[in-house]
Amino acid sequence: MTEPLEHREESLTDATEARGLEALIARAARAGKGAAPVERWNPDFCGDLDMEIRADGTWFYLGTPIGRMPLVQLFSSVLRKDADGRTYLVTPVEKVGIRVADAPFIAVEMDVSGDGDARTITFRTNVGDVVEAGPERPLRFVDENGTGGLKPYVLVRGRLEALVARPVMYELVGHGEEIEIGGKTMFAVRSKGAVFPIMPADQLKRLSA
C-alpha cells in the first residue's frame, strides 16, 4: 500500500536548510490564495522553526533574509498569533513556532477619506494587506521606551497587528483632533465611527511647547 503523501513528506522541524524551506512552501501553498482560514485549523504543534520577522518587517530563515516577496506573502497568509502570545505558521496538518521581534506586519501607506464620523483611515501593509481602521480593526498607541515617542499599531486579522511605519505615523497624527472621551480631552483620531485616543491633549501641548 502506498503511504499517504502527507506522511511521507519530511516534517518542517526535521528538515534543514533548503529542504526545510521547500517543505514549508509546499505546506503553505495548500492553504490557497490570500489569508488562509488558520483560526479554524487545529493541527499538532511540531516545534519551532528558525524563522524570524525582524522589527523592520524583514523575514529571515536560518539567519538569511527571504528576498522573494511572493514567498513572504505566502508565509504571511498562514500566520496566526495564539492566546499564549506566540506567533505560528499554521497549515491544516502542522503548526510551527517562529520569532517576531515586534509586529509581524508594517503599515507602509495610508489613505484618508471622508470627515468627522464618516472618516475612514485605510492602511496598506508591507505584504499587501489593506486594512480599514475601525471598531473591528482598532488602532492602539504604545509609549516607546526610552524615546518618549509613540508606536501605533493597527489590527490586521486575528491577533496579528501591523506597526505603523514612522513616516506614516506622522501622517496619521496629522489627522488627529481634540475629542472629549470620558470627561477628559484627548488628542485622538477617528475612523469608521470609532475614536482612538493617542494621548491627553494637555500632554501633547507640553510636548509641543
Side-chain angles (χ1 to χ4, degrees):
M1 179 181 294
T2 302
E3 187 178 5
L5 179 62
E6 61 270 21
H7 293 154
R8 287 190 287 113
E9 290 178 341
E10 190 171 16
S11 169
L12 293 181
T13 51
D14 292 337
T16 58
E17 299 180 354
R19 295 179 65 193
L21 191 58
E22 289 170 3
L24 184 56
I25 293 167
R27 295 193 189 281
R30 294 187 196 118
K33 303 294 185 181
V38 293
E39 306 298 333
R40 299 204 300 265
W41 296 340
N42 190 31
D44 292 334
F45 175 63
C46 300
D48 293 325
L49 197 67
D50 188 5
M51 182 174 283
E52 179 182 13
I53 305 175
R54 300 279 176 90
D56 64 357
T58 303
W59 289 59
F60 281 74
Y61 178 69
L62 295 175
T64 301
I66 301 175
R68 295 168 57 192
M69 180 52 64
L71 280 185
V72 170
Q73 291 173 324
L74 178 61
F75 297 148
S76 72
S77 73
V78 292
L79 275 181
R80 189 176 80 194
K81 185 174 182 179
D82 286 358
D84 61 6
R86 296 197 60 202
T87 303
Y88 302 90
L89 293 172
V90 182
T91 76
V93 296
E94 286 184 284
K95 181 171 88 168
V96 295
I98 68 169
R99 302 185 303 277
V100 180
D102 194 337
F105 309 125
I106 305 292
V108 295
E109 187 178 5
M110 66 171 277
D111 177 75
V112 178
S113 61
D115 293 303
D117 288 337
R119 173 177 292 162
T120 298
I121 301 174
T122 304
F123 296 93
R124 179 179 65 83
T125 74
N126 59 318
V127 295
D129 294 295
V130 176
V131 181
E132 292 182 347
E136 296 180 355
R137 300 288 185 270
L139 278 161
R140 68 183 182 100
F141 296 82
V142 177
D143 291 331
E144 189 171 21
N145 293 332
T147 69
L150 287 175
K151 296 173 71 174
Y153 297 84
V154 61
L155 186 65
V156 176
R157 60 179 181 271
R159 297 182 178 90
L160 300 172
E161 293 181 309
L163 171 65
V164 178
R166 192 164 295 277
V168 181
M169 180 195 73
Y170 293 139
E171 185 180 354
L172 174 64
V173 170
H175 293 279
E177 57 187 297
E178 292 189 2
I179 301 175
E180 197 79 14
I181 302 175
K184 189 171 186 178
T185 303
M186 301 292 294
F187 185 68
V189 291
R190 305 175 190 259
S191 184
K192 298 192 74 174
V195 175
F196 303 107
I198 300 174
M199 66 176 65
D202 57 357
Q203 180 182 343
L204 177 63
K205 290 175 183 176
R206 288 194 303 271
L207 292 173
S208 304

